[in-house]
């Protein structure tokens, strides 16, 4: 039963340079049906992107080797592109507006609050699934 829940759970890639932030995300998702992968850098994360095709990327605003904008640029052209959630200790209306205008999904302020993280990730997962369902329907309609 647990394996079945995990199989239908979203794959989430956390791009967080600090071990404490990755640990906090593990704590938040400990009992949740989420397949969490972690990387400290964008370079490490690219391998996970290729291998696991996560539906959601939680990305710190600034990584040692990239920033959230580069992550967004590099992932938006992928088939079934993941939803990008930016995490920042300086989350404000300006960052939120920029993230949404450039195509990111949302912004989470630091420190991470469990209920808010779970809510935003759940909504991002639903948004990703709705887009896949719509694409499937449109592809089927085009065949008729």
């Amino acid at each position: 039963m647990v394996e079945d829940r995990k199989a239908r759970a979203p794959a989430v890639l956390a791009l967080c340079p600090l071990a404490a932030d990755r640990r906090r995300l593990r704590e938040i998702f400990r009992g949740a049906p989420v397949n969490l992968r972690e990387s400290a850098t964008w370079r490490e994360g690219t391998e996970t992107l290729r291998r696991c095709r996560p539906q959601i990327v939680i990305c710190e605003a600034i990584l040692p080797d990239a920033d959230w904008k580069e992550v967004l640029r590099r992932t938006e052209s992928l088939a079934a592109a993941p939803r990008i959630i930016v995490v920042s200790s300086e989350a404000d209306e300006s960052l939120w507006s920029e993230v949404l205008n450039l195509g990111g999904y949302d912004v989470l302020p630091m420190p991470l609050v469990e209920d808010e993280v779970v809510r935003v990730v759940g909504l991002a997962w639903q948004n990703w699934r709705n887009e896949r369902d719509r694409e499937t329907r449109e592809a089927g309609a085009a065949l008729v």
Side-chain angles (χ1 to χ4, degrees):
M1 180 67 169
V2 171
E3 284 301 314
D4 187 43
R5 278 182 49 204
K6 282 286 192 183
R8 291 181 287 135
V12 176
L13 170 60
L15 296 173
C16 299
L18 298 178
D21 295 337
R22 294 190 306 273
R23 186 171 38 257
R24 177 68 179 135
L25 286 168
R26 280 194 305 273
E27 290 170 2
I28 288 170
F29 293 125
R30 180 167 291 139
V34 169
N35 296 311
L36 181 64
R37 302 285 192 273
E38 305 169 18
S39 296
T41 66
W42 168 240
R43 183 176 296 216
E44 289 174 11
T46 58
E47 179 59 30
T48 302
L49 276 168
R50 281 192 292 273
R51 225 180 38 253
C52 301
R53 295 292 186 182
Q55 295 86 31
I56 300 163
V57 174
I58 298 173
C59 179
E60 295 244 1
I62 300 172
L63 300 167
D65 55 351
D67 65 10
W68 70 268
K69 292 177 195 175
E70 183 171 351
V71 172
L72 180 64
R73 278 193 302 272
R74 300 271 189 112
T75 58
E76 66 188 352
S77 63
L78 296 174
R83 298 300 177 258
I84 306 297
I85 299 170
V86 178
V87 176
S88 177
S89 59
E90 298 177 16
D92 60 10
E93 192 172 311
S94 174
L95 177 61
W96 182 77
S97 178
E98 184 177 26
V99 168
L100 294 182
N101 285 327
L102 292 178
Y105 186 76
D106 208 341
V107 175
L108 288 170
M110 295 290 268
L112 295 172
V113 175
E114 183 172 353
D115 291 345
E116 186 67 4
V117 172
V118 170
R119 183 185 71 78
V120 169
V121 168
L123 290 171
W125 168 233
Q126 186 63 50
N127 178 270
W128 186 91
R129 287 182 23 201
N130 289 346
E131 185 173 316
R132 299 291 77 70
D133 291 347
R134 188 183 75 248
E135 289 173 355
T136 300
R137 284 190 308 274
E138 289 172 358
L143 294 175
V144 177

